[in-house]
Amino acid sequence: MKRYNTLNDYYRKLFGEKIFKVPIDAGFDCPNRDGTVAKGGCTFCTVSGSGDAIVAPDAPIREQFYKEIDFMHRKWPEVQKYLVYFQNFTNTHDKVEVLRERYEQAINEPGVVGINIGTRPDCLPDETLAYIAELTDRMHVTLELGLQTTFETTSELINRAHSYSLYVETVKRIRKLAPKTEIVAHLINGLPGETHEMMVENVRRCVTDNDIDGIKLHLLHLMTNTRMQRDFHEGRLQLMSQEEYVNVICDQLEIIPARMVIHRITGDAPRHMLIGPMWSLNKWEVLNAIDKEMERRGSRQGCKNNH
C-alpha cells in the first residue's frame, strides 16, 4: 500500500477498472514560442513540446488515437476505457472553434470516458472555459495546468512568460466558469537556481493558494536541443542526484493534503535525448526509493499539512 494517493488507485475507483491515458499531438503551439507573449519557448522544452513519447505525432488525430491504443494493448489487452490526453505544447492556444474541431476527433471514439488537456494559465479565455464546462457534462475533464515554479526569478530564467499571480487568478476563474473541471498543477524539481527549500515552498504555495485536485511533480530532465543546455554547460544548472530528488519529493508529499491525487512523482524521458540525470531512466528504482524513504520516516502524504 502506497503512502500517497496514487493516480492509478484514483482512476480505478473513479472508473471501476484500469484505463489508458492516450497521448495525442493536436498540432497546437505555445504563446511563448510563437511570439504571442515571448519567443523560443520554455528553456527546458524540446522541439516536440514534451511530446517525445507519442507514437505517431504527425498522423491525423483519430489515427494517432488508434495507433496509441494498439501499442498499449500489447501489454494490457483487457483495457477498454480511455482518457484522451492532449499533451504537448499548449492545447487551448487557439480559437474555441479550432479546439472543438480537434478535440471532437478523438473524444467521440468508443471507450473514451474523459479528456485531459495540457495547457497554460494565459490560454484560457472565457469562451474556452465555456466549452470546457460543456465537455464536463459529457465526460470526465481534467485541465493539466502548467506552473513549473512559483518564483518569478526562476520563471523569467526559464522563459515561462507568465506570473504566478496569473496562475492563481486563472484557477479561480476555472472554478467559477467550469466548476466540474478537475485541475492538476505541474511543478518541476531541479530548475536552475532553485534550492531544496524553494522546491518545497513551490508545493506549499501551490496547494495553499489554489483550489486544485491534483499535482504532478517532475524531475527536470536536461534534453538535447533545448535552450537549457547552455545553462548547464555554462555552470548555471546543477543536475539533482537521486538522493536529493527522493528527499525533496518526500518533503513535498508530507505537505500535500491527503485528499489530493498525486498524478506523477517522477517523469519519463527518451534515452537517446537525455543528457541527464541518467539515474532517472531507472524509473522503478526511483519510485521504490521514494517508498522506502517514506517508510523509513514513518510518514504519509499530508502528515505535515496544517490545512
Side-chain angles (χ1 to χ4, degrees):
M1 187 71 177
K2 294 284 188 180
R3 291 172 176 259
Y4 55 91
N5 191 10
T6 71
L7 181 62
N8 184 57
D9 287 344
Y10 172 65
Y11 279 159
R12 282 187 179 275
K13 291 175 185 175
L14 185 64
F15 299 110
E17 59 192 87
K18 184 175 178 62
I19 64 165
F20 284 158
K21 199 172 178 183
V22 185
I24 298 290
D25 184 337
F28 294 105
D29 205 337
C30 285
N32 64 341
R33 287 168 48 97
D34 65 9
T36 304
V37 295
K39 290 188 176 180
C42 296
T43 61
F44 57 78
C45 201
T46 66
V47 292
S48 69
S50 301
D52 304 295
I54 294 175
V55 172
D58 297 323
I61 289 173
R62 187 171 182 272
E63 184 179 332
Q64 286 186 55
F65 175 81
Y66 282 102
K67 284 181 179 292
E68 288 285 347
I69 64 173
D70 286 347
F71 179 76
M72 293 173 178
H73 277 146
R74 296 175 193 174
K75 187 172 183 180
W76 296 286
E78 74 283 0
V79 176
Q80 297 298 319
K81 289 184 180 178
Y82 315 104
L83 287 175
V84 176
Y85 181 21
F86 289 96
Q87 179 181 14
N88 53 327
F89 296 119
T90 303
N91 292 278
T92 58
H93 184 42
D94 215 318
K95 296 177 181 178
V96 69
E97 296 80 12
V98 176
L99 308 186
R100 186 184 298 270
E101 187 272 332
R102 295 185 189 177
Y103 292 1
E104 301 287 337
Q105 290 182 51
I107 62 178
N108 292 311
E109 293 303 315
V112 173
V113 294
I115 179 174
N116 285 43
I117 303 164
T119 189
R120 291 163 50 101
D122 53 359
C123 291
L124 287 165
D126 288 359
E127 57 269 26
T128 295
L129 288 177
Y131 173 49
I132 288 170
E134 175 191 320
L135 287 174
T136 64
D137 291 330
R138 296 163 52 189
M139 62 184 59
H140 185 76
V141 178
T142 302
L143 279 176
E144 299 202 4
L145 195 58
L147 174 57
Q148 319 316 351
T149 181
T150 65
F151 291 93
E152 302 303 340
T153 51
T154 309
S155 186
E156 291 173 12
L157 189 61
I158 65 175
N159 196 41
R160 189 67 189 161
H162 69 72
S163 65
Y164 178 53
S165 61
L166 176 64
Y167 192 95
V168 174
E169 181 58 34
T170 300
V171 172
K172 292 177 181 176
R173 287 180 52 248
I174 297 168
R175 285 291 174 237
K176 180 180 179 181
L177 299 175
K180 292 192 288 185
T181 308
E182 207 165 83
I183 304 174
V184 177
H186 285 217
L187 289 168
I188 296 178
N189 289 321
L191 289 170
E194 292 208 345
T195 63
H196 180 107
E197 291 73 23
M198 291 170 73
M199 294 176 222
V200 175
E201 180 65 9
N202 279 329
V203 168
R204 189 198 65 76
R205 292 176 181 175
C206 189
V207 302
T208 302
D209 300 344
N210 299 282
D211 181 10
I212 59 175
D213 303 286
I215 193 164
K216 265 189 174 181
L217 300 171
H218 283 264
L219 167 68
L220 174 69
H221 290 120
L222 181 62
M223 308 285 279
T224 57
N225 301 316
T226 59
R227 295 167 67 192
M228 194 168 280
Q229 278 182 272
R230 184 187 306 168
D231 294 324
F232 180 65
H233 292 308
E234 293 180 0
R236 291 187 297 274
L237 171 64
Q238 300 295 320
L239 298 180
M240 297 185 78
S241 70
Q242 181 172 314
E243 182 180 5
E244 289 170 333
Y245 187 73
V246 167
N247 281 328
V248 79
I249 284 287
C250 292
D251 286 351
Q252 290 170 330
L253 288 173
E254 289 176 348
I255 63 171
I256 296 172
R259 65 171 179 83
M260 283 191 187
V261 180
I262 308 301
H263 282 242
R264 187 179 285 271
I265 54 172
T266 182
D268 299 293
R271 181 182 293 270
H272 69 283
M273 298 179 67
L274 183 65
I275 297 173
M278 299 309 292
W279 55 261
S280 67
L281 292 169
N282 300 315
K283 184 175 180 179
W284 287 108
E285 182 178 308
V286 178
L287 294 174
N288 288 337
I290 292 168
D291 290 343
K292 288 178 182 177
E293 176 60 16
M294 292 292 281
E295 184 176 0
R296 186 194 70 79
R297 296 181 181 196
S299 65
R300 304 191 68 85
Q301 178 183 335
C303 66
K304 294 183 180 179
N305 182 272
N306 298 319
H307 298 276

PDB file of all heavy atoms in Angstrom, residues 216-228:
ATOM      1  N   LYS A 216       1.249  17.226 -10.251  1.00  0.00           N
ATOM      2  CA  LYS A 216       2.277  16.455 -10.946  1.00  0.00           C
ATOM      3  C   LYS A 216       3.631  17.019 -10.556  1.00  0.00           C
ATOM      4  O   LYS A 216       3.894  18.203 -10.745  1.00  0.00           O
ATOM      5  CB  LYS A 216       2.120  16.580 -12.470  1.00  0.00           C
ATOM      6  CG  LYS A 216       1.336  15.491 -13.130  1.00  0.00           C
ATOM      7  CD  LYS A 216       1.444  15.607 -14.652  1.00  0.00           C
ATOM      8  CE  LYS A 216       0.776  14.426 -15.330  1.00  0.00           C
ATOM      9  NZ  LYS A 216       0.896  14.497 -16.796  1.00  0.00           N
ATOM     10  N   LEU A 217       4.493  16.153 -10.030  1.00  0.00           N
ATOM     11  CA  LEU A 217       5.841  16.552  -9.654  1.00  0.00           C
ATOM     12  C   LEU A 217       6.825  15.895 -10.621  1.00  0.00           C
ATOM     13  O   LEU A 217       6.876  14.676 -10.721  1.00  0.00           O
ATOM     14  CB  LEU A 217       6.140  16.126  -8.218  1.00  0.00           C
ATOM     15  CG  LEU A 217       5.200  16.727  -7.162  1.00  0.00           C
ATOM     16  CD1 LEU A 217       5.435  16.080  -5.807  1.00  0.00           C
ATOM     17  CD2 LEU A 217       5.382  18.238  -7.071  1.00  0.00           C
ATOM     18  N   HIS A 218       7.563  16.712 -11.329  1.00  0.00           N
ATOM     19  CA  HIS A 218       8.506  16.223 -12.334  1.00  0.00           C
ATOM     20  C   HIS A 218       9.930  16.477 -11.888  1.00  0.00           C
ATOM     21  O   HIS A 218      10.221  17.489 -11.243  1.00  0.00           O
ATOM     22  CB  HIS A 218       8.310  16.962 -13.667  1.00  0.00           C
ATOM     23  CG  HIS A 218       7.146  16.517 -14.464  1.00  0.00           C
ATOM     24  ND1 HIS A 218       7.248  15.590 -15.471  1.00  0.00           N
ATOM     25  CD2 HIS A 218       5.850  16.864 -14.415  1.00  0.00           C
ATOM     26  CE1 HIS A 218       6.061  15.400 -16.009  1.00  0.00           C
ATOM     27  NE2 HIS A 218       5.187  16.162 -15.382  1.00  0.00           N
ATOM     28  N   LEU A 219      10.815  15.613 -12.268  1.00  0.00           N
ATOM     29  CA  LEU A 219      12.244  15.893 -12.224  1.00  0.00           C
ATOM     30  C   LEU A 219      12.609  16.646 -13.496  1.00  0.00           C
ATOM     31  O   LEU A 219      12.125  16.314 -14.585  1.00  0.00           O
ATOM     32  CB  LEU A 219      13.034  14.585 -12.169  1.00  0.00           C
ATOM     33  CG  LEU A 219      14.538  14.675 -12.422  1.00  0.00           C
ATOM     34  CD1 LEU A 219      15.227  15.407 -11.282  1.00  0.00           C
ATOM     35  CD2 LEU A 219      15.137  13.288 -12.609  1.00  0.00           C
ATOM     36  N   LEU A 220      13.451  17.658 -13.376  1.00  0.00           N
ATOM     37  CA  LEU A 220      13.962  18.321 -14.570  1.00  0.00           C
ATOM     38  C   LEU A 220      14.840  17.350 -15.358  1.00  0.00           C
ATOM     39  O   LEU A 220      15.849  16.863 -14.848  1.00  0.00           O
ATOM     40  CB  LEU A 220      14.791  19.555 -14.200  1.00  0.00           C
ATOM     41  CG  LEU A 220      15.478  20.219 -15.398  1.00  0.00           C
ATOM     42  CD1 LEU A 220      14.456  20.884 -16.311  1.00  0.00           C
ATOM     43  CD2 LEU A 220      16.527  21.222 -14.944  1.00  0.00           C
ATOM     44  N   HIS A 221      14.448  17.059 -16.579  1.00  0.00           N
ATOM     45  CA  HIS A 221      15.281  16.291 -17.496  1.00  0.00           C
ATOM     46  C   HIS A 221      15.994  17.278 -18.416  1.00  0.00           C
ATOM     47  O   HIS A 221      15.338  18.076 -19.089  1.00  0.00           O
ATOM     48  CB  HIS A 221      14.432  15.338 -18.336  1.00  0.00           C
ATOM     49  CG  HIS A 221      13.857  14.194 -17.561  1.00  0.00           C
ATOM     50  ND1 HIS A 221      12.516  13.966 -17.457  1.00  0.00           N
ATOM     51  CD2 HIS A 221      14.461  13.219 -16.845  1.00  0.00           C
ATOM     52  CE1 HIS A 221      12.303  12.892 -16.721  1.00  0.00           C
ATOM     53  NE2 HIS A 221      13.468  12.429 -16.330  1.00  0.00           N
ATOM     54  N   LEU A 222      17.302  17.212 -18.444  1.00  0.00           N
ATOM     55  CA  LEU A 222      18.055  18.036 -19.383  1.00  0.00           C
ATOM     56  C   LEU A 222      18.120  17.282 -20.700  1.00  0.00           C
ATOM     57  O   LEU A 222      18.709  16.193 -20.780  1.00  0.00           O
ATOM     58  CB  LEU A 222      19.464  18.319 -18.851  1.00  0.00           C
ATOM     59  CG  LEU A 222      20.334  19.196 -19.756  1.00  0.00           C
ATOM     60  CD1 LEU A 222      19.723  20.576 -19.943  1.00  0.00           C
ATOM     61  CD2 LEU A 222      21.743  19.312 -19.190  1.00  0.00           C
ATOM     62  N   MET A 223      17.508  17.853 -21.728  1.00  0.00           N
ATOM     63  CA  MET A 223      17.360  17.177 -23.009  1.00  0.00           C
ATOM     64  C   MET A 223      18.219  17.835 -24.084  1.00  0.00           C
ATOM     65  O   MET A 223      18.565  19.025 -23.999  1.00  0.00           O
ATOM     66  CB  MET A 223      15.891  17.218 -23.444  1.00  0.00           C
ATOM     67  CG  MET A 223      14.929  16.720 -22.377  1.00  0.00           C
ATOM     68  SD  MET A 223      14.952  14.946 -22.188  1.00  0.00           S
ATOM     69  CE  MET A 223      13.901  14.495 -23.556  1.00  0.00           C
ATOM     70  N   THR A 224      18.559  17.066 -25.095  1.00  0.00           N
ATOM     71  CA  THR A 224      19.282  17.615 -26.237  1.00  0.00           C
ATOM     72  C   THR A 224      18.380  18.604 -26.983  1.00  0.00           C
ATOM     73  O   THR A 224      17.165  18.516 -26.930  1.00  0.00           O
ATOM     74  CB  THR A 224      19.715  16.503 -27.203  1.00  0.00           C
ATOM     75  OG1 THR A 224      18.557  15.770 -27.627  1.00  0.00           O
ATOM     76  CG2 THR A 224      20.686  15.556 -26.532  1.00  0.00           C
ATOM     77  N   ASN A 225      19.023  19.531 -27.678  1.00  0.00           N
ATOM     78  CA  ASN A 225      18.312  20.516 -28.499  1.00  0.00           C
ATOM     79  C   ASN A 225      17.338  21.369 -27.690  1.00  0.00           C
ATOM     80  O   ASN A 225      16.237  21.682 -28.149  1.00  0.00           O
ATOM     81  CB  ASN A 225      17.578  19.838 -29.666  1.00  0.00           C
ATOM     82  CG  ASN A 225      18.507  19.067 -30.565  1.00  0.00           C
ATOM     83  OD1 ASN A 225      19.586  19.546 -30.906  1.00  0.00           O
ATOM     84  ND2 ASN A 225      18.110  17.868 -30.954  1.00  0.00           N
ATOM     85  N   THR A 226      17.751  21.731 -26.480  1.00  0.00           N
ATOM     86  CA  THR A 226      16.978  22.672 -25.671  1.00  0.00           C
ATOM     87  C   THR A 226      17.866  23.851 -25.313  1.00  0.00           C
ATOM     88  O   THR A 226      19.096  23.741 -25.257  1.00  0.00           O
ATOM     89  CB  THR A 226      16.465  22.027 -24.365  1.00  0.00           C
ATOM     90  OG1 THR A 226      17.582  21.561 -23.591  1.00  0.00           O
ATOM     91  CG2 THR A 226      15.532  20.861 -24.654  1.00  0.00           C
ATOM     92  N   ARG A 227      17.235  24.987 -25.031  1.00  0.00           N
ATOM     93  CA  ARG A 227      17.991  26.178 -24.669  1.00  0.00           C
ATOM     94  C   ARG A 227      18.673  26.017 -23.312  1.00  0.00           C
ATOM     95  O   ARG A 227      19.653  26.694 -22.999  1.00  0.00           O
ATOM     96  CB  ARG A 227      17.058  27.391 -24.665  1.00  0.00           C
ATOM     97  CG  ARG A 227      16.510  27.725 -26.054  1.00  0.00           C
ATOM     98  CD  ARG A 227      15.363  28.722 -25.979  1.00  0.00           C
ATOM     99  NE  ARG A 227      15.822  30.026 -25.527  1.00  0.00           N
ATOM    100  CZ  ARG A 227      15.002  30.998 -25.153  1.00  0.00           C
ATOM    101  NH1 ARG A 227      13.704  30.789 -25.153  1.00  0.00           N
ATOM    102  NH2 ARG A 227      15.479  32.162 -24.771  1.00  0.00           N
ATOM    103  N   MET A 228      18.149  25.104 -22.476  1.00  0.00           N
ATOM    104  CA  MET A 228      18.724  24.912 -21.150  1.00  0.00           C
ATOM    105  C   MET A 228      20.096  24.255 -21.195  1.00  0.00           C
ATOM    106  O   MET A 228      20.850  24.319 -20.216  1.00  0.00           O
ATOM    107  CB  MET A 228      17.767  24.092 -20.282  1.00  0.00           C
ATOM    108  CG  MET A 228      18.120  24.117 -18.811  1.00  0.00           C
ATOM    109  SD  MET A 228      16.830  23.440 -17.752  1.00  0.00           S
ATOM    110  CE  MET A 228      15.703  24.823 -17.657  1.00  0.00           C
TER     111      MET A 228
END
